[in-house]
Amino acid sequence: MAGRLDTTIFGTDLNELISDLYTVVTGLATNAVSASVTDLAFTSELEVGGEVFTITQTLIVPASVVSAPPVIGSLCTVGATERMVARWTISADEVSYNIDVAEITTG
């Protein structure tokens, strides 16, 4: 007896997997962009004007969706959390930006 392959579960799992890998980021371009977000295993610190910011995440964003290089010190929202652009590099093939973001702390 021939079986039937139910692809709805696979499709749901795939959608959840993709949504786990990509996060909506605003503030890097005119419109919201999708970025691959990685929490860093080891944080580093950035001192700006006497304040110390902790770099905790790296974003990978397609260069085609960002009209200009990110501005260090500018604010962006990763998911629902506000972050500050700490540093960035562009890939050797100029296809994507690797953007390190820092926590915004008050106090």
Side-chain angles (χ1 to χ4, degrees):
M1 182 155 129
R4 190 175 139 242
L5 180 62
D6 186 2
T7 58
T8 56
I9 293 173
F10 174 74
T12 301
D13 289 346
L14 184 60
N15 283 337
E16 289 176 11
L17 176 67
I18 291 170
S19 67
D20 284 345
L21 293 175
Y22 292 93
T23 303
V24 174
V25 178
T26 57
L28 296 177
T30 304
N31 299 317
V33 299
S34 291
S36 172
V37 179
T38 303
D39 293 330
L40 300 175
F42 300 98
T43 61
S44 58
E45 293 181 338
L46 173 70
E47 184 176 344
V48 178
E51 287 194 58
V52 177
F53 297 93
T54 305
I55 299 170
T56 57
Q57 293 178 318
T58 292
L59 315 175
I60 299 176
V61 180
S64 61
V65 299
V66 180
S67 57
V71 176
I72 294 174
S74 64
L75 300 179
C76 62
T77 303
V78 179
T81 307
E82 193 170 51
R83 302 280 187 210
M84 182 184 76
V85 174
R87 58 183 170 225
W88 61 270
T89 57
I90 192 162
S91 62
D93 56 7
E94 298 183 354
V95 170
S96 62
Y97 284 104
N98 185 2
I99 304 168
D100 290 343
V101 293
E103 292 179 341
I104 305 295
T105 55
T106 57

